[in-house]
Amino acid sequence: MRTPQHDRFLFGTGVAPTTGSVPEQAKPIRHVERGAEERRGEKREESCVGSSVEEFAAPHAAMADAPPLPLPKPRVRALRRLAAVVLRYSQLISIICYSAGLITVLLLPVLSKPTYISENALMPGSANSVFGSKSAMDARLMVEELQNLVAESSDGYMAVRRWAINRMSAIGADSYLHTFSSPEKPLTSMRFFSSPQHMPQNWNSTTDGRLGVNVVGIIKAPRSEGNEAVVLVTPFAIEDGKLSSADKLTLSFGMALFELYGSSNWLARDVIWILADARYGSYTAVAAWLEEYHEPKRHLLSAEEAAHLYQETGGLSEGSNDPSLLEFKRAGFISAGLVYHVSAGNRGKADSIKVSAEGPNGQMPNLDLINVINTLAQWRRMPIHLAEIKGMRDSAFLNGLGRAIENVGYFAGKVHGDWGFAMSASSYVESLATLCASFLNQAIGRSTGAHGAFRDHQIDAVTLNMFASGDLESSSYQIDLFARFGRLVEGVMRSVNNLLEKFHQSFFLYLLCSPSKFVSVGLYMIPLGLLLVTLPLGAAALNSALVKADEIAPGSDSKVSSLGATEGSAPERVETKDVEESMGLLDIKTTKENAGRWRRAILVVSAVQLWAFVVALFPPVASSVVDMLETSLTSTGITPVGGFTLASLKMSLWAVLAVLSLFVVLTSLPIAKAGDWMAVKALVLGIATIGLVVMSQVDFAVSLMGAVVLVPTCLCPSPLRDMWRISATQGQQKERSMLSRVSLFLGTLVTFLGSPPVLLAAAAVLLGNAHGQVSLERLWQWTELLWSGGSALYIFVVAVYLPSSYLSLHILFS
C-alpha cells in the first residue's frame, strides 16, 4: 500500500498528492518500448518487476517509520519585533523621554543661536541721522509748552488734543480725532474667540458716559503713491488732572519726530502718528483705531449727538468747529508698527531700552524687526534688554547648573576644538530667566503692550520702553535723552522705510534668550516631541495589555487587573487547551466583553469631556448671578457679602456649579467593571495627546508647559487597590513585588500633585497673600483677564487639563 512517505521519496515533493490530481513532475516514468517487453515473455518481466520492488522496499520501509519533518516557523518581521520590545519596555522609555524633554528645555539657552538680519534691504545704520541737537532742543521746548497748557486748562485731555492738532496743522499734516467707547466688561457675553477688545459700534453705549479720543496725524510720503504706511504710537494718560513727567517727555519726543518726518524727503511710506488715549489702556485705544481702520463703520448720528460728541472731543483751539476733525482718514497698507514710551528708570544706572514683543496667544513679530532695534542699540552703545524673571538669578540650583554647563563646555573644548562652547554661569542663568519670562508671557496669552493690537491684524510691531535713569525735570538731561533715543527711533524708521515688501525673510516662530540670541522652531519643538511621544506609547502599551489579557483568560477581570499593574511588560504566551474552544464560544464571549469595556470607557470619557466644555461656559453665568444679587442688596460694587468680595463670590459660585454638574454626570454613568480603567486610561492618553498637539499650533508655550504637568498626571495613575490587594496565587504574589508597590505609590503621589485642587490651591497662594479671600479674588480676576483676551491658556486649562486630570483621579479610585 502506497504511503505519503513513499510518495515524497518517489516524486521528490514534501506534500502528498491529492486524490484524483497528480502533478506532471510526480507521475511515474512509463516503460519504453512496451511492445518489445511483451515479446520477451512473462518470466523476464516478472523478474524485472521483482528486482525493482526488492531494490526500493527497504528504504521505503525505513522512511515509513521515520517521524514527519517539522514545518518551518513563520518569519517575524523586524518592525513587529521592535514594536513588541518598545511596548514591553514602554514605562522605561517614557521615563527616559520625559527626562530628556525636561533636560532639553534647560539646555535651550546653550543651544540658542546668534541673531542676524535676513533682509538685506533693511540696512540698519546705513544713513546719517538727522535727529540732532536742534530737534532735541525743540522737544525740550515742547515739554514746557505742554506743561503750561495742561496746568492752565480745566481738562487736560482737551489741552493735549488742541496742542497736537495745532502743531500738526502747522506742518501741513492731516489730522483728525478718533473716538471710541470704554471696552465691554469681561464675561458680559458668551463670546470668546471674537476680537479681544470688542468695541460697541455706537459711541453712546459706553457705560460711564465718557469717550476715549485718539489724536491721529498723517504725513504723506513724497516718494510714494500712498500704498503703504508705518504707524507710530505714543500712549498717554492724565491722572488727577495732571500729566506725568514721563508722558510729557513721550508726547514731546513723538511730536519732534513727527515734525522731522514732515520735512524729510527720504520717506517712501506714509507716517501715521497716534496719540493714544490710555484712560482705558493703550491696547484698547490702538485696537479700536485699527478695527475701524480695517473695517470702516458707518456712523449715523443726529445733530444733537454730533454736537455732544464734538463737545467731548474739544475741537480746535479758539473754539472753531471744524467738521473734518471727526472724519476718519486713512493712508496705505500698514507694513509695521512701533510703540514707544519714556519711563522713569532706576537712578544711578545707565539709560536702557526694554523691548516687548509678545502678542496675543504667543504671536511674535518678524525677528528682523527686533534685530534692527538690537543692531542700532549696540551701535549707539545703548543697553537693551528683555523681560525676565528676576528671582531666578538667585536660585542656587540654576547657578550650580550654570557652573556645571560652563565646566562641560570648557573640558569639551579641550578634548576637541569644535565641541566646546563658551557660556558662563551668569550668562546661562540670565538667558534662562529671559527664556522663562518669554514662555510665561506667551503662555498667558495676553499682549505685553499695545503692539499686540497690531498682531491681531497680522502686522509686525513692538513696544520700546525707554527707561531714563536721570532726573526727568532736568533740562540738560532731557536734551541728552531726546538726542540718544531720537537717533535710535529714526534709525528704525529708516530701516522699515527701506523695505521693498512685507517682513517675511526671518523667523515668526522663535523664542528669545536675549536680544542677540534666539531659539528657532526647529529646536524648541524637540523637547515638546520628547514629552508628547510618551502619551501614545502608553496608550499603545495599555491596548496591547488588554489584548494579551483577553488571550490569557477571556472574561477574567482579575487577570486584566493584575496585568494592568505591570502594563509595560509583555505577558507570557499561554497555549489554549482546545482548538475548538478557542475558536468557538470563548472567542465570541471575549469579543463581546472587549467591546463592552471600550463602550463603557468611551461613554465615561465623553461625558467628562462634555462636562468640561460646560464648565468653561459657567463664568458668565456665575458673574450674572452675583451681579444680580449685588444689585438687589446694595448699590456699591465692592461691598462684601457675608465676608467675601464679589469676585470671591463669583469664583466660589463657579466652583459650586462645576461640582454639582460633575455629580449629575457621575450619577448618569454606567457601573464600571474591574478592567475598564485600562481602556479609560488609554482614551485619556489619546485625548491628552490630541489636545496638546492642537494647542501647540495655537500657542506653543501653553502646550509645552501643559505637557510638563499633564504627561506624568496621565501616565502614572493606577487603581489604589493594587497596592494593598492580597494575591490569590503565587504567580500574582511575585507580580506584586515591592518595586511594583513603590511604583504605584509614586504614581499616586504624582497624580494627586497634578490634580486640579492642588494646582488651584498653589495658584491661589501665588496670586494672593495669606488670606484665602484675596486669593479667590485674584483667581477670578485672572479668569476675567484670560476670557476677555481670548487666551488659549483658558481653553487648555478647562477643555484639556481639567477632564484629563479628573479622569486620572477617577482611575485611582476605580
Side-chain angles (χ1 to χ4, degrees), residues 263-592:
S263 60
S264 299
N265 59 357
W266 47 264
L267 279 179
R269 284 174 169 81
D270 297 342
V271 178
I272 304 175
W273 180 38
I274 303 176
L275 283 76
D277 188 348
R279 70 177 73 183
Y280 303 122
S282 59
Y283 184 97
T284 301
V286 178
W289 180 84
L290 285 170
E291 183 179 357
E292 190 162 355
Y293 190 90
H294 293 89
E295 299 178 4
K297 296 179 176 62
R298 185 179 180 182
H299 298 278
L300 299 176
L301 302 178
S302 62
E304 182 180 356
E305 291 173 339
H308 175 70
L309 178 60
Y310 192 82
Q311 183 181 0
E312 285 287 332
T313 58
L316 287 171
S317 61
E318 307 300 333
S320 60
N321 294 332
D322 186 1
S324 64
L325 280 177
L326 303 180
E327 180 183 352
F328 195 96
K329 302 179 182 65
R330 291 175 177 81
F333 170 80
I334 300 176
S335 58
L338 185 63
V339 184
Y340 51 91
H341 188 272
V342 177
S343 302
N346 295 328
R347 289 293 183 90
K349 294 186 178 180
D351 298 338
S352 62
I353 294 179
K354 177 183 176 182
V355 180
S356 301
E358 292 84 6
N361 288 328
Q363 299 182 63
M364 299 291 287
N366 190 273
L367 186 57
D368 269 347
L369 183 58
I370 301 178
N371 294 338
V372 167
I373 298 173
N374 181 51
T375 301
L376 292 173
Q378 290 181 351
W379 184 44
R380 298 287 179 187
R381 296 182 179 179
M382 187 173 295
I384 182 172
H385 62 279
L386 305 172
E388 64 178 31
I389 302 178
K390 297 182 179 180
M392 295 183 63
R393 292 196 177 191
D394 301 330
S395 173
F397 170 75
L398 294 180
N399 282 278
L401 181 60
R403 287 190 292 270
I405 291 176
E406 181 180 1
N407 295 331
V408 169
Y410 174 77
F411 287 111
K414 290 291 185 180
V415 175
H416 195 283
D418 296 334
W419 294 354
F421 52 90
M423 174 168 276
S424 62
S426 59
S427 177
Y428 169 78
V429 175
E430 181 180 356
S431 298
L432 188 61
T434 304
L435 183 66
C436 291
S438 179
F439 265 123
L440 184 61
N441 290 330
Q442 293 187 28
I444 291 175
R446 295 285 296 184
S447 173
T448 53
H451 61 275
F454 290 92
R455 289 306 305 162
D456 293 332
H457 300 274
Q458 302 304 310
I459 300 173
D460 298 295
V462 295
T463 296
L464 299 182
N465 290 319
M466 306 173 184
F467 288 99
S469 60
D471 184 10
L472 296 183
E473 301 296 336
S474 173
S475 300
S476 59
Y477 178 74
Q478 290 177 359
I479 296 175
D480 181 65
L481 185 72
F482 288 146
R484 286 184 286 111
F485 283 158
R487 296 188 185 101
L488 176 67
V489 176
E490 182 193 352
V492 176
M493 184 64 188
R494 282 181 175 271
S495 295
V496 176
N497 184 74
N498 292 337
L499 276 179
L500 303 177
E501 48 196 345
K502 285 188 63 177
F503 283 101
H504 71 283
Q505 291 284 354
S506 191
F507 294 91
F508 286 93
L509 301 175
Y510 58 91
L511 296 171
L512 289 174
C513 296
S514 68
S516 58
K517 289 288 186 70
F518 77 103
V519 179
S520 65
V521 61
L523 187 60
Y524 68 63
M525 287 297 290
I526 295 177
L528 181 62
L530 290 172
L531 295 174
L532 291 184
V533 74
T534 60
L535 297 177
L537 181 60
L542 284 167
N543 182 60
S544 176
L546 282 173
V547 172
K548 293 297 184 181
D550 291 335
E551 291 180 359
I552 294 173
S556 175
D557 290 337
S558 61
K559 287 290 183 181
V560 174
S561 180
S562 63
L563 185 61
T566 57
E567 59 188 63
S569 60
E572 297 180 357
R573 186 180 184 87
V574 178
E575 299 292 341
T576 57
K577 297 181 180 179
D578 189 13
V579 177
E580 286 97 10
E581 186 181 7
S582 63
M583 296 296 292
L585 297 177
L586 285 181
D587 264 355
I588 299 175
K589 182 179 179 181
T590 302
T591 303
K592 289 183 177 181

Side-chain angles (χ1 to χ4, degrees), residues 658-682:
V659 172
L660 290 178
S661 59
L662 179 60
F663 177 76
V664 173
V665 170
L666 294 180
T667 55
S668 60
L669 293 177
I671 300 176
K673 295 185 179 180
D676 291 352
W677 70 270
M678 296 179 66
V680 172
K681 185 176 179 178

Side-chain angles (χ1 to χ4, degrees), residues 15 50 77 100 104 118 121 144 159 189 302 518 586 628 636 668 770 788 804:
V15 180
R77 295 182 179 273
T104 308
S118 302
E144 294 182 355
S189 66
S302 62
F518 77 103
L586 285 181
M628 292 173 59
T636 58
S668 60
S788 62
S804 300

Side-chain angles (χ1 to χ4, degrees), residues 526-740:
I526 295 177
L528 181 62
L530 290 172
L531 295 174
L532 291 184
V533 74
T534 60
L535 297 177
L537 181 60
L542 284 167
N543 182 60
S544 176
L546 282 173
V547 172
K548 293 297 184 181
D550 291 335
E551 291 180 359
I552 294 173
S556 175
D557 290 337
S558 61
K559 287 290 183 181
V560 174
S561 180
S562 63
L563 185 61
T566 57
E567 59 188 63
S569 60
E572 297 180 357
R573 186 180 184 87
V574 178
E575 299 292 341
T576 57
K577 297 181 180 179
D578 189 13
V579 177
E580 286 97 10
E581 186 181 7
S582 63
M583 296 296 292
L585 297 177
L586 285 181
D587 264 355
I588 299 175
K589 182 179 179 181
T590 302
T591 303
K592 289 183 177 181
E593 291 182 354
N594 191 27
R597 180 187 301 119
W598 285 104
R599 192 182 302 112
R600 291 188 297 270
I602 291 174
L603 183 59
V604 171
V605 174
S606 301
V608 173
Q609 194 71 45
L610 180 61
W611 164 76
F613 282 115
V614 173
V615 170
L617 303 177
F618 276 163
V621 178
S623 179
S624 301
V625 171
V626 175
D627 287 341
M628 292 173 59
L629 178 63
E630 186 268 340
T631 303
S632 61
L633 293 179
T634 180
S635 59
T636 58
I638 57 174
T639 300
V641 180
F644 290 91
T645 61
L646 294 179
S648 302
L649 286 176
K650 292 176 181 179
M651 190 68 196
S652 302
L653 181 58
W654 185 22
V656 170
L657 291 175
V659 172
L660 290 178
S661 59
L662 179 60
F663 177 76
V664 173
V665 170
L666 294 180
T667 55
S668 60
L669 293 177
I671 300 176
K673 295 185 179 180
D676 291 352
W677 70 270
M678 296 179 66
V680 172
K681 185 176 179 178
L683 291 176
V684 171
L685 293 176
I687 291 176
T689 304
I690 296 173
L692 290 172
V693 170
V694 171
M695 294 308 302
S696 67
Q697 305 303 313
V698 180
D699 193 338
F700 169 79
V702 172
S703 181
L704 182 61
M705 296 176 66
V708 172
V709 178
L710 201 57
V711 167
T713 304
C714 295
L715 280 177
C716 293
S718 294
L720 288 174
R721 65 174 183 270
D722 289 335
M723 283 194 298
W724 54 74
R725 184 175 58 192
I726 300 177
S727 303
T729 63
Q730 184 178 2
Q732 291 180 354
Q733 290 178 358
K734 292 181 179 179
E735 202 173 19
R736 295 293 185 272
S737 61
M738 181 58 66
L739 182 61
S740 178

Side-chain angles (χ1 to χ4, degrees), residues 20-40:
S21 97
V22 180
E24 291 294 332
Q25 68 272 15
K27 293 181 179 179
I29 303 175
R30 298 182 177 180
H31 294 285
V32 185
E33 305 278 342
R34 177 168 284 286
E37 290 290 339
E38 292 177 355
R39 287 193 297 270
R40 289 175 185 170

